[in-house]
RNA sequence: GGUCCCGUGGUGAAGUCAGGAGUUCACGCCGGCCUGUCAAGCCGGAGGUCGCGGGUUCAAAUCCCGUCGGGACCGCCA
């Protein structure tokens, strides 16, 4: 039907008779005998000069045959790749007339209500931005597959209908018709299947796995999302990081055309200490400064006796933040668990701050020098438990300094040595797993299990890109003794372990190799590489924050006949 | 479950704080003119349940209450 794509025609085709197909973008009519039509396909647009009187309107689908020619002097359009040529002597074939679209099929639709864009997603997808995003995603997928294949990984598909598991994210349930009252779950990840593949001798597994979690949606979260899921046998942490790095960097290069720098590493403790988060955005500084010693003997009640005192400095921020904003910042700090937030504006004399009068001259001097603060800077200080101090300042650091997603370099970082346990169960008081209960404890910390369980590190690691958590993984426990020890610390009895995880752990008895793995979110990676703040922009048919699809109107009420067949009865809504 | 922002012809916005006739701007759409435009230009026209419901008022897009929808965030996401 066509000989060329619209956006591909260049000077080299001058004189050739070509046929192109696409949609009518903008048209400029000058009466019956001259009209310019921008014909658009996924590759771009090309100007067609039409001298006949044909009725051609927005988004009509056309096949145009004509001769490529140089544009007359003075009519070249430098803003188009095809701007120095045009197609003349056009024969126009209308393949399909079209109703005017509800919004312009160009960059102006970026401002259109997202609900409308999703309702007419097929029109939204015609736009250059969405075409680019879909193609970036495709390239990333292809690069990841190829990188995994080159490293000897075997792509294995795991089931979508799986048993419900007690731990982790809320699952989507699928009723069984053959066994009314019984349900499958949709997988929140292929975790157990991939570990059993290791028992099965696959050695190196990967999958572009669709994962489903029935948790509330966010800019970086959808009910269904894609992970590069992988698992390796007979490896240590470095082997896994190397394999994942190769894949991620290949994907990044495929998407951006630039080879990223090698991925750096930071321990979880350092990440918290310096950036106040386990997913630090390394594109900007504003690191947390240790101030505990500065106020070691302070008379100021809010500081004295605090477990950890830290501060961040906003260069030249004194003038940018008024009382109102500082109050809001304080509220946010309190909302995040801090007892309060101390702000200090640096002046020539000292500090302008509600608490300045409580500080001695020595403290003021030491603070200034520790923060390297200069006149006009804003200093924010939190004094609290170490983790609260770090987390609150980390949040403020992001609020204040974090650049938009499309800005700055790509800063990949491995966060390693995550704690094995995070927080405690509200009811039982037992520690909770940071990653999952099958994560290998750090060998140097085994002796702390009884004395200081919360200090036990694990062989678990996250991959972070510009402040987004791309994914996480761990070396798994493959020995029963160690697994029992971890279950004990988690307050899980042998009976409970057998009941909850027996189907998963019993196969290990037949010879589980040492193994470990990783999974990273492809949607997030693609979004960042495409410069999008929101993963919905890199998903062809995403759902809204309330889990609806405005195009198909799903979810829809169950058909009574189907419900009957499945043995289901819908109860009235209870408030 | 919670906090905040948004909802006005097909699209985007202004009007809302401080109530006074569905008012305005841009794009799009329809018709006319136009042989070198490129967000073409000029002339004319059509198009609205101001998300929905209730309340206050002589009078509500505007104030109040509720509700629905969208978005950002917190909780949640082993």
């Amino acid at each position: 039907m066509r000989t060329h794509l619209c956006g591909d025609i260049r000077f080299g085709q001058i004189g050739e008779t070509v046929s192109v197909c696409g949609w009518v973008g903008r048209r400029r009519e000058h009466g019956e005998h001259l009209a310019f039509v921008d014909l658009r396909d996924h590759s771009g647009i090309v100007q067609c000069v039409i001298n006949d009187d044909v009725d051609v309107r927005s988004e009509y689908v056309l096949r145009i045959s004509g001769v490529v020619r140089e544009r007359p002097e003075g009519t070249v359009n430098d803003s188009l790749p095809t701007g120095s040529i045009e197609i003349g002597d056009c024969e126009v074939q209308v393949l399909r007339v079209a109703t005017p679209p509800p919004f312009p099929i160009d960059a102006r639709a970026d401002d259109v209500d997202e609900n409308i864009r999703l309702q007419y997603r097929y029109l939204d997808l015609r736009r250059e931005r969405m075409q680019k995003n879909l193609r970036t995603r495709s390239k990333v997928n292809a690069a990841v597959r190829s990188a995994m294949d080159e490293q000897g990984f075997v792509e294995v598909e795991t089931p979508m209908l799986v048993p419900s598991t007690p731990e982790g994210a809320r699952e989507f349930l699928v009723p069984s018709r053959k066994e009314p009252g019984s349900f499958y779950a949709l997988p929140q990840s292929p975790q157990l299947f991939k570990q059993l593949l290791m028992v099965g001798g696959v050695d190196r597994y990967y999958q572009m796995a669709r994962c489903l979690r029935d948790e509330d949606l966010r800019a970086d979260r959808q009910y269904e999302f894609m992970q590069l899921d992988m698992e390796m046998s007979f490896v240590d942490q470095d082997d896994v990081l190397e394999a994942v790095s190769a894949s991620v960097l290949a994907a990044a290069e495929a998407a951006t055309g630039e080879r990223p720098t090698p991925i750096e590493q930071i321990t979880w403790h350092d990440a918290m200490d310096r950036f106040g988060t386990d997913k630090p955005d390394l594109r900007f500084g504003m690191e947390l400064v240790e101030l505990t010693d500065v106020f070691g003997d302070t008379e100021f009640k809010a500081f004295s006796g605090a477990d950890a005192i830290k501060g961040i400095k906003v260069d030249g921020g004194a003038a940018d933040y008024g009382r109102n904003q500082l109050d809001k910042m304080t509220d946010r700090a309190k909302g995040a668990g801090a007892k309060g937030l101390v702000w200090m504006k640096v002046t020539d004399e000292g500090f302008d701050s509600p608490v300045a009068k409580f500080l001695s001259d020595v403290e003021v001097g030491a603070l200034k020098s520790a923060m390297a603060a200069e006149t006009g800077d804003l200093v924010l200080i939190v004094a609290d438990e170490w983790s609260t101090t770090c987390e609150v300042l980390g949040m403020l650091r992001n609020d204040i300094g974090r650049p938009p997603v499309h800005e700055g370099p790509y800063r990949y970082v491995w966060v390693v040595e995550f704690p094995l346990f995070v927080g405690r169960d509200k009811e039982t008081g037992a520690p909770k797993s940071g990653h999952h209960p099958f994560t290998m404890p750090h060998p140097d910390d085994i002796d702390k299990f009884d004395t200081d369980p919360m200090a036990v590190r694990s062989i678990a690691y996250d991959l972070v890109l510009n402040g987004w958590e791309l994914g996480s993984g761990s070396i798994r426990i493959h020995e029963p003794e160690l697994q029992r020890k971890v279950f004990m610390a988690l307050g899980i009895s042998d009976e409970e372990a057998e009941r909850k995880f027996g189907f998963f752990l019993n196969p290990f008895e037949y010879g589980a190799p040492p193994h470990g793995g990783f999974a990273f979110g492809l949607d997030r990676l693609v979004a960042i590489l495409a410069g999008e703040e929101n993963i919905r922009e890199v998903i062809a048919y995403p759902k809204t924050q309330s889990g609806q699809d405005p195009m198909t109107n799903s979810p829809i009420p169950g058909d009574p006949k189907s419900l009957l067949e499945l043995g289901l009865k819908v109860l009235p809504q209870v408030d």
Side-chain angles (χ1 to χ4, degrees), chain A residues 296-358:
Chain A
D297 302 312
T298 189
E299 300 282 308
F300 181 36
K301 285 209 185 70
F303 285 178
S304 62
D307 182 40
I309 307 175
K310 285 169 177 290
I312 54 172
K313 179 183 63 171
V314 186
D315 288 325
D320 299 337
Y321 293 90
R323 192 55 190 258
N324 208 345
Q325 285 163 293
L326 291 166
D327 285 347
K328 270 188 190 157
M329 226 181 263
T330 306
D331 287 345
R332 196 155 147 78
K334 284 181 180 165
K339 292 181 196 70
L341 174 71
V342 168
W343 57 264
M344 312 186 85
K345 292 180 173 181
V346 186
T347 63
D348 290 329
E349 292 77 35
F351 288 102
D352 170 18
S353 167
V355 308
K357 56 177 177 282
F358 301 117

Side-chain angles (χ1 to χ4, degrees), chain A residues 322-445:
Chain A
R323 192 55 190 258
N324 208 345
Q325 285 163 293
L326 291 166
D327 285 347
K328 270 188 190 157
M329 226 181 263
T330 306
D331 287 345
R332 196 155 147 78
K334 284 181 180 165
K339 292 181 196 70
L341 174 71
V342 168
W343 57 264
M344 312 186 85
K345 292 180 173 181
V346 186
T347 63
D348 290 329
E349 292 77 35
F351 288 102
D352 170 18
S353 167
V355 308
K357 56 177 177 282
F358 301 117
L359 304 180
S360 70
D361 292 344
V362 177
E363 284 166 350
V364 166
L367 173 61
K368 253 191 170 174
S369 102
M371 301 294 305
E374 290 172 19
T375 300
D377 291 347
L378 172 69
V379 173
L380 302 169
I381 300 171
V382 173
D384 220 299
E385 297 278 319
W386 175 79
S387 59
T388 307
T389 297
C390 294
E391 283 165 18
V392 168
L393 285 173
M395 193 183 71
L396 294 175
R397 173 180 175 269
N398 273 340
D399 284 354
I400 295 166
R402 194 164 175 206
V405 67
H406 59 272
E407 249 180 47
Y410 298 109
R411 293 292 299 271
Y412 297 85
V413 56
W414 285 110
V415 180
V416 300
E417 295 180 16
F418 268 75
L420 189 63
F421 305 113
V422 174
R424 288 177 181 275
D425 190 279
K426 283 185 201 96
E427 286 163 25
T428 67
K432 293 189 292 185
S433 278
H435 187 59
H436 59 54
F438 320 112
T439 304
M440 179 76 85
H442 198 291
D444 297 348
D445 295 349

Side-chain angles (χ1 to χ4, degrees), chain A residues 269-288:
Chain A
H269 188 273
D270 281 354
M272 293 303 295
D273 226 26
R274 290 171 54 197
F275 302 100
T277 173
D278 57 9
K279 40 179 180 176
D281 189 337
L282 268 37
R283 288 176 299 166
F284 67 108
M286 215 188 284
E287 289 191 25
L288 279 54

